[in-house]
Amino acid sequence: MKRLRFLTLISLAVATGMMFYACDKVEDPKPDDNTEIPTPEPEPEPEPEPTPEISVPTVVTGEFSDVTENSATASFTITSDGGAAVTVCGIVWDEEAAPTDDLPTKVTFDGAQTSYTCQLTDLDPSTTYYYRAYAINEAGTAYGEEYSFTTEKSTTMTVDVNGITIELAYVEGGTFTMGATPDLIALYDKYDPDELPAHEVTLGTYYIGKYEVTQALWIEIMGANPSQMIRDNNCPVDGMSYLQCLQFIEKLNERTGMNFNLPTEAQWEYAARGGNKSKGYLYSGSNDATEVGWVMENMASFGQHPGGEKAPNELGIYDMTGNVNEWCYDFYGAYSEEPQTNPSGAAISSSYSLYVVRGGAYSCESGRWCRNTKRQSYPENYAQMDIGFRLVLNTPESEPAPRPEPEPEIFAPAVTTGEASYVTENSATTSLSITSDGGAAVTACGIVWDVAPNPTEALSTKVTFDGTATNYTVQLTGLQAGTTYYYRAYATNEAGTSYGEEYSFTTRKATPSESALNVEVNGLTIEMVLVEGGTFTMGATPDLMELGPYDDDELPAHEVTLDSYYMAKYEVTQALWIEVMGSNPSQMIKDNARPVDGMSHVQCLEFIEKLNERTGMNFSLPTEAQWEYAARGGNKSQGYLYSGSNDATEVGVVYENIDWADYGQRPGGTKAPNELGIYDMTGNVMEWCLDYYGAYTEEPQVNPTGAEANASGNVCVVRGGGYWDECAKWSRNTKRNRYAETHSQLDLGLRLVLNVE
């Protein structure tokens, strides 16, 4: 029975996977039974798992990149957290090796990532920094590899003078070829002889003014403004001599504790070319002067502009082309072929010395005056409205070499030829300046001329002086009318004879003997008045500015020389237009004796072409210069504001005296004529001129014909004002108006001119 029960328990255990025990029934012990009941042994406790070991993290420092003068980029990677969470990580740096994370110069992260890129900022220029990555967990701080880098040199420096900031650009030293190099000659071949020979120059590092010295800074240092063009104190200062520049710099250095100076000519040219970042431009920063400077070609209003309105050059320097000319430190002298280091210019002459001026100005034609290599020179006490300067701050390696002692060698004088003016039928005026006596007394000088180029002083056609002065004004007489002459200055000393620049001019054609000319067209008479040629100042001259207003495009006033011509006594009538063209375009038709109106510039030219076919003459529209010269009264001018009077109502039909009951133009000649006997050049109808409209220049002109076609979108000049125009605004002799060549309107007519062949 027991065996059977045991086998049953085994079967149950196998079936259930549990453990069963078989035992006999145990009777409850009797009270007197002393048998002990055994106690089961307890199960043993499991042994605890071992605690994992924790170590500091492992971090790898990345190499630096993108280093500037005040920042750099670095990276790092946490390759192991050491068995515990990284709580802080980053990059730490210092000027000393082995920087630690207790320094403030660090970038910190929370350790949630394994790779980081960060920027190190607020660094000092030209400084070596040591850096390394770090990472922290509960076991401690670990550091990666240490690297070092050196920040870039500073490209700018600022000096504060009572709230006025002087910004200086960094110019890293180097070697360049100074003067008219072949690549620049290829861009502009009208270089001057004193730009040669091109020669090697080595310069140390220096700082140069980012902008020209302003009127505000000059006033702060000197107490008064010498500028002749005062618009805005942020504009460059002008009107000071070389000596006054040195006085300013001395006081500025006392205020700032710096050692400012004028740039040497070599420093100026190297910076203008763009230093070691040069791209070989003709001007400072571009081959187009108008992109980087205020020059004659883009001068909207006369005078300098605040610095920085145009694009900078390769070094971030502004206005080294145009705005104002700039004094340099050097005495002016000829170049040599010898290589030079930190040159300081020519030796001072005991008799006559000039200082270098560079850069050109707002009043200068860019190609001639504003190129990077163009040289000018003036005496130390000379001042004019478009000469200023900029500052330089030398380093020990860029201090200019001592100025050379003058050499005793004697050479031929240097002489400059002036351009011709006041050209008549048989005379002209010019000038000469002896800029250097060559180290010996000038014994003879003058102007020589001929009908062939390159005249020499051996010719009899000359005016001679003894050379005791340096500047002469010369009149050339006995000339033939309508003839081209070549002339140049010369000067002689014991070393020989030298010549100045050669110029040419053409004398005016002979004045016709007839003072008036009438042309008949089928019973209609065109009355023409002789306007004898001459030279006058065109535009808003100071005397006219005192009498009335003026517009910016009436400036600059400039010298114009005209040959003789005939100007119509009256404006073209409706009757003449109908006779030639067959119809009347006028919008105000009342009387065919009144001026025609309502035609475009293009239609005027068609009318004149047909009129010339009918008459065999060579009529034209007047040029703008011919119109203004005749309106002023030609060589009989009394300087009136209007054509024949300072009171427009005496000489013209204008808004102030219009008869509103008979609105419109009047027949010619109802008002007083001007000094030449010409009527209605003030008011009645406006008058088309031949010229395309364009800005004036300062250059003297002979028989000008205005701007090029399309320069202003084929906009043509209109002069004289009309019957409904307020006279002071629209009818002055110098007032310029313009319309598209296809434009027409009811108070716009024309007048004829006949040029003398």
Side-chain angles (χ1 to χ4, degrees):
M1 188 67 180
K2 290 183 179 179
R3 176 176 173 83
L4 179 60
R5 187 169 49 193
F6 177 74
L7 292 175
T8 301
L9 290 174
I10 290 174
S11 299
L12 183 61
V14 170
T16 64
M18 299 180 65
M19 183 65 74
F20 292 88
Y21 295 92
C23 59
D24 290 330
K25 181 178 178 183
V26 177
E27 297 292 336
D28 289 335
K30 292 186 171 49
D32 56 351
D33 192 345
N34 294 323
T35 304
E36 289 188 4
I37 299 174
T39 302
E41 291 290 331
E43 290 289 329
E45 291 287 334
E47 293 188 9
E49 292 290 330
T51 302
E53 185 179 349
I54 297 174
S55 62
V56 295
T58 303
V59 61
V60 176
T61 310
E63 294 194 22
F64 60 87
S65 63
D66 302 324
V67 179
T68 70
E69 62 185 75
N70 50 30
S71 68
T73 300
S75 63
F76 66 94
T77 301
I78 300 171
T79 59
S80 171
D81 63 6
V86 174
T87 56
V88 180
C89 60
I91 294 280
V92 62
W93 67 91
D94 194 31
E95 294 178 34
E96 300 292 332
T100 59
D101 72 303
D102 57 353
L103 292 173
T105 49
K106 61 186 176 184
V107 176
T108 300
F109 302 96
D110 60 8
Q113 300 172 207
T114 57
S115 295
Y116 296 87
T117 298
C118 55
Q119 191 170 41
L120 287 53
T121 58
D122 296 327
L123 309 180
D124 292 327
S126 304
T127 303
T128 297
Y129 288 93
Y130 300 87
Y131 74 97
R132 54 182 179 171
Y134 71 94
I136 301 173
N137 67 7
E138 62 185 74
T141 302
Y143 293 93
E145 304 89 332
E146 180 176 79
Y147 293 105
S148 67
F149 62 85
T150 301
T151 50
E152 297 282 336
K153 294 179 180 178
S154 176
T155 57
T156 58
M157 177 187 294
T158 59
V159 178
D160 183 78
V161 184
N162 196 23
I164 299 171
T165 301
I166 304 171
E167 294 187 59
L168 299 153
Y170 173 80
V171 184
E172 186 174 355
T175 298
F176 76 109
T177 303
M178 184 173 179
T181 49
D183 56 329
L184 295 182
I185 293 173
L187 295 173
Y188 185 87
D189 61 4
K190 297 177 183 177
Y191 58 89
D192 295 327
D194 67 350
E195 298 173 44
L196 293 174
H199 54 289
E200 182 182 287
V201 171
T202 300
L203 296 173
T205 296
Y206 57 98
Y207 290 86
I208 195 166
K210 195 171 180 181
Y211 307 100
E212 292 157 326
V213 170
T214 63
Q215 296 178 28
L217 181 59
W218 184 281
I219 293 168
E220 175 64 28
I221 299 300
M222 303 297 283
N225 191 350
S227 300
Q228 299 177 44
M229 291 296 292
I230 300 177
R231 285 177 163 182
D232 179 337
N233 283 351
N234 291 319
C235 287
V237 68
D238 66 43
M240 82 296 296
S241 68
Y242 179 91
L243 294 178
Q244 289 172 314
C245 288
L246 297 185
Q247 293 169 0
F248 165 87
I249 290 171
E250 182 180 4
K251 291 187 177 182
L252 176 64
N253 288 339
E254 291 174 358
R255 283 278 295 272
T256 62
M258 307 298 285
N259 189 27
F260 289 111
N261 205 342
L262 289 172
T264 65
E265 184 177 22
Q267 288 175 329
W268 193 98
E269 183 171 321
Y270 184 57
R273 286 170 172 260
N276 60 9
K277 298 180 181 178
S278 176
K279 296 182 180 178
Y281 293 129
L282 185 63
Y283 305 101
S284 186
S286 177
N287 286 327
D288 181 352
T290 62
E291 291 181 353
V292 291
W294 291 108
V295 292
M296 186 179 71
E297 289 86 342
N298 64 0
M299 181 180 64
S301 58
F302 190 74
Q304 63 267 52
H305 289 248
E309 291 185 346
K310 291 293 181 178
N313 74 356
E314 300 93 319
L315 295 174
I317 304 171
Y318 293 86
D319 300 311
M320 296 195 83
T321 292
N323 217 9
V324 294
N325 293 285
E326 300 178 16
W327 286 110
C328 290
Y329 174 79
D330 310 41
F331 293 114
Y332 174 82
Y335 287 162
S336 73
E337 292 183 337
E338 298 300 316
Q340 296 176 300
T341 300
N342 294 326
S344 57
I348 187 170
S349 166
S350 58
S351 57
Y352 192 74
S353 290
L354 299 169
Y355 287 86
V356 174
V357 169
R358 286 297 201 109
Y362 57 84
S363 58
C364 296
E365 187 274 320
S366 58
R368 183 174 180 189
W369 297 104
C370 303
R371 293 171 290 108
N372 286 337
T373 59
K374 171 65 183 176
R375 309 177 73 203
Q376 294 189 68
S377 57
Y378 294 101
E380 63 184 9
N381 56 359
Y382 179 81
Q384 71 180 44
M385 68 165 63
D386 63 352
I387 299 183
F389 67 108
R390 80 176 64 226
L391 297 169
V392 75
L393 194 59
N394 287 304
T395 63
E397 65 183 62
S398 66
E399 281 294 335
R403 280 178 170 150
E405 293 295 323
E407 298 179 1
E409 180 184 359
I410 295 173
F411 47 89
V415 61
T416 300
T417 311
E419 295 191 25
S421 61
Y422 303 107
V423 179
T424 69
E425 297 171 17
N426 50 29
S427 67
T429 300
T430 184
S431 62
L432 69 97
S433 296
I434 300 171
T435 58
S436 172
D437 63 7
V442 175
T443 55
C445 62
I447 296 285
V448 60
W449 67 92
D450 194 23
V451 293
N454 302 317
T456 66
E457 52 91 23
L459 295 172
S460 60
T461 49
K462 62 184 177 185
V463 176
T464 301
F465 303 96
D466 61 9
T468 55
T470 56
N471 297 295
Y472 297 88
T473 299
V474 187
Q475 190 170 41
L476 285 52
T477 58
L479 310 178
Q480 297 295 314
T483 304
T484 298
Y485 289 93
Y486 299 88
Y487 71 97
R488 55 182 178 169
Y490 71 93
T492 303
N493 67 3
E494 63 184 79
T497 299
S498 62
Y499 293 90
E501 307 89 337
E502 180 178 80
Y503 293 108
S504 66
F505 62 85
T506 301
T507 51
R508 294 208 318 268
K509 296 171 183 176
T511 302
S513 57
E514 298 179 358
S515 60
L517 179 67
N518 293 339
V519 179
E520 295 293 326
V521 183
N522 196 21
L524 299 174
T525 301
I526 305 173
E527 297 184 57
M528 308 295 291
V529 175
L530 176 66
V531 183
E532 292 188 15
T535 298
F536 77 110
T537 303
M538 184 173 178
T541 50
D543 55 332
L544 295 182
M545 291 181 187
E546 293 180 0
L547 296 173
Y550 63 92
D551 296 326
D552 288 342
D553 68 349
E554 299 172 42
L555 294 173
H558 55 287
E559 182 183 285
V560 172
T561 299
L562 296 173
D563 291 331
S564 298
Y565 56 98
Y566 288 97
M567 175 72 88
K569 192 172 185 178
Y570 306 104
E571 294 159 323
V572 170
T573 64
Q574 297 178 29
L576 180 60
W577 186 281
I578 294 169
E579 174 64 29
V580 174
M581 302 297 286
S583 61
N584 190 351
S586 299
Q587 299 179 41
M588 293 296 291
I589 301 175
K590 293 186 176 183
D591 180 342
N592 284 353
R594 303 188 187 211
V596 68
D597 67 33
M599 82 295 296
S600 69
H601 190 274
V602 172
Q603 291 172 313
C604 289
L605 298 183
E606 294 172 354
F607 164 81
I608 291 170
E609 182 179 3
K610 291 186 177 183
L611 177 63
N612 288 339
E613 291 174 357
R614 286 277 297 271
T615 62
M617 306 299 286
N618 190 25
F619 288 110
S620 177
L621 288 173
T623 66
E624 185 176 20
Q626 288 175 327
W627 194 97
E628 183 172 321
Y629 184 55
R632 285 171 172 264
N635 60 11
K636 298 179 182 180
S637 176
Q638 300 295 311
Y640 293 129
L641 185 63
Y642 306 101
S643 186
S645 175
N646 286 329
D647 182 351
T649 62
E650 293 181 355
V651 292
V653 179
V654 291
Y655 179 84
E656 286 80 354
N657 65 1
I658 192 170
D659 181 359
W660 294 100
D662 187 18
Y663 179 75
Q665 62 265 51
R666 296 290 182 275
T670 60
K671 293 293 181 178
N674 74 354
E675 299 95 318
L676 294 174
I678 302 174
Y679 291 86
D680 299 312
M681 296 195 80
T682 294
N684 215 9
V685 293
M686 297 183 289
E687 301 177 15
W688 284 111
C689 290
L690 182 65
D691 311 38
Y692 289 109
Y693 176 83
Y696 285 164
T697 70
E698 287 188 331
E699 298 299 317
Q701 296 178 300
V702 177
N703 295 322
T705 56
E708 294 293 328
N710 294 315
S712 300
N714 286 358
V715 172
C716 298
V717 175
V718 170
R719 285 297 200 110
Y723 54 82
W724 69 355
D725 291 328
E726 189 272 320
C727 61
K729 183 174 182 181
W730 297 105
S731 304
R732 294 172 288 103
N733 286 337
T734 60
K735 169 64 184 177
R736 308 179 73 201
N737 205 346
R738 72 260 191 196
Y739 293 106
E741 62 183 359
T742 56
H743 175 81
S744 63
Q745 66 181 54
L746 58 83
D747 63 345
L748 179 54
L750 75 153
R751 181 185 301 267
L752 296 170
V753 74
L754 191 60
N755 291 308
V756 177
E757 297 297 329

